[in-house]
């Protein structure tokens, strides 16, 4: 059994605590977060919460690994900083793969989270610290860099190069063969057909209300 400390005190951490309990032999010993967010003696999810800065006082690096449940805050750069701090202090970085995830990648780095029904195609390469939420699909021979976040039902085609610190909104699609540069933010439902610019934002046209129409007008 592997002992795990979860970094995070939000719904992402709550989800991962439940998934680890119900789909792995990993044991969550505690939660941790930056000291500013940890009141003295606090408990969350039925487990103690300790300041990340003082983690060695509670759990030595040889005793546990840390699973980082940090979302896309600061375009994933906060997750990178905390992971690198933990590594410098001697901790190993945990990852997670749900039993329903189909991972065929040729190369996978550390600290990745693959949730329910994620598909990673043959010949793909995955770097470090990426998060793939349920039903995200990355097709064959696509290279994913480090510290990216793929939300629900993202569809990434084959032979794509994704750099670092990108965020992909729910149900967005990326055409085959394009390059997604550092810090790209793709909005929910967007379609990316060409290479992006660094630290750029792409959104689809907004849905609008049909004025003068009632839903009962349509014979559904």
């Amino acid at each position: 059994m592997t002992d795990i400390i979860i970094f995070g005190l939000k719904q992402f951490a709550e989800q991962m605590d439940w998934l680890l309990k119900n789909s792995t032999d990993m044991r969550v010993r505690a939660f941790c977060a930056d000291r500013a967010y940890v009141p003295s003696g606090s408990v969350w999810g039925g487990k103690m919460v300790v300041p990340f800065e003082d983690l060695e006082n509670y759990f030595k690096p040889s005793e546990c690994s840390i699973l980082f449940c940090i979302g896309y805050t600061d375009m994933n750069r906060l997750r990178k900083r905390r992971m690198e701090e933990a590594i410098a202090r001697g901790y190993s970085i945990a990852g997670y793969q749900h039993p329903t995830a189909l991972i065929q990648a040729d190369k996978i780095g550390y600290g990745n989270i693959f949730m329910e029904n994620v598909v990673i195609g043959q010949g793909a390469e995955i770097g470090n610290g990426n998060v793939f939420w349920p039903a995200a699909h990355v097709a064959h021979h696509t290279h994913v860099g480090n510290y990216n976040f793929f939300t629900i039902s993202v569809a990434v085609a084959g032979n794509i190069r994704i750099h670092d610190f990108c965020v992909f909104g729910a149900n967005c699609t990326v055409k085959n063969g394009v390059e997604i540069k550092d810090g790209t933010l793709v909005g929910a439902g967007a379609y990316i057909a060409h290479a992006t610019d660094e630290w750029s934002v792409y959104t689809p046209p907004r849905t609008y209300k049909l004025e003068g129409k009632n839903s009962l007008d349509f014979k559904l």
Side-chain angles (χ1 to χ4, degrees):
M1 178 175 289
T2 303
D3 284 351
I4 299 292
I5 307 299
I6 290 180
F7 188 109
L9 295 175
K10 295 186 177 180
Q11 290 180 344
F12 186 4
E14 180 184 9
Q15 290 180 72
M16 291 310 306
D17 182 36
W18 189 92
L19 287 169
L20 293 181
K21 178 181 178 181
N22 289 278
S23 64
T24 75
D25 62 354
M26 297 179 181
R27 177 177 61 174
V28 177
R29 298 287 302 279
F31 293 93
C32 73
D34 293 345
R35 185 183 290 113
Y37 301 98
V38 182
S40 178
S42 62
V43 174
W44 194 76
K47 301 177 179 68
M48 69 174 174
V49 183
V50 301
F52 179 58
E53 295 89 336
D54 303 330
L55 191 57
E56 290 89 342
N57 297 334
Y58 299 87
F59 303 97
K60 295 180 173 58
S62 60
E63 296 176 340
C64 60
S65 298
I66 306 177
L67 181 69
F68 283 86
C69 297
I70 301 174
Y72 40 77
T73 300
D74 193 25
M75 290 299 290
N76 302 294
R77 293 182 296 180
L78 176 61
R79 188 162 70 255
K80 177 181 187 290
R81 291 194 295 270
R82 294 296 178 267
M83 280 191 180
E84 290 183 345
E85 290 171 21
I87 291 170
R89 290 160 58 182
Y91 287 96
S92 58
I93 307 301
Y96 171 76
Q97 179 179 328
H98 192 273
T100 62
L102 177 61
I103 311 300
Q104 303 169 301
D106 288 349
K107 178 182 178 182
I108 300 176
Y110 62 79
N112 293 291
I113 293 176
F114 303 96
M115 297 180 77
E116 303 96 317
N117 298 307
V118 168
V119 176
I120 307 295
Q122 184 272 327
E125 294 184 354
I126 308 296
N128 305 321
N130 298 287
V131 178
F132 299 85
W133 276 35
H137 189 143
V138 174
H140 63 93
H141 299 96
T142 285
H143 174 93
V144 175
N146 307 305
Y147 307 104
N148 298 289
F149 201 107
F150 299 78
T151 60
I152 293 173
S153 298
V154 169
V156 174
N159 294 295
I160 291 170
R161 183 172 183 84
I162 297 170
H163 291 257
D164 303 337
F165 309 120
C166 300
V167 176
F168 298 87
N171 291 296
C172 72
T173 301
V174 183
K175 181 181 179 292
N176 64 292
V178 304
E179 181 177 15
I180 307 298
K181 296 181 181 177
D182 287 350
T184 297
L185 172 57
V186 181
Y191 175 63
I192 303 299
H194 304 284
T196 66
D197 298 324
E198 292 186 355
W199 305 102
S200 53
V201 180
Y202 299 83
T203 61
R206 292 185 179 274
T207 300
Y208 59 91
K209 177 184 175 184
L210 290 177
E211 298 296 342
K213 289 291 184 180
N214 185 294
S215 58
L216 295 176
D217 295 335
F218 298 89
K219 306 303 181 182
L220 301 177

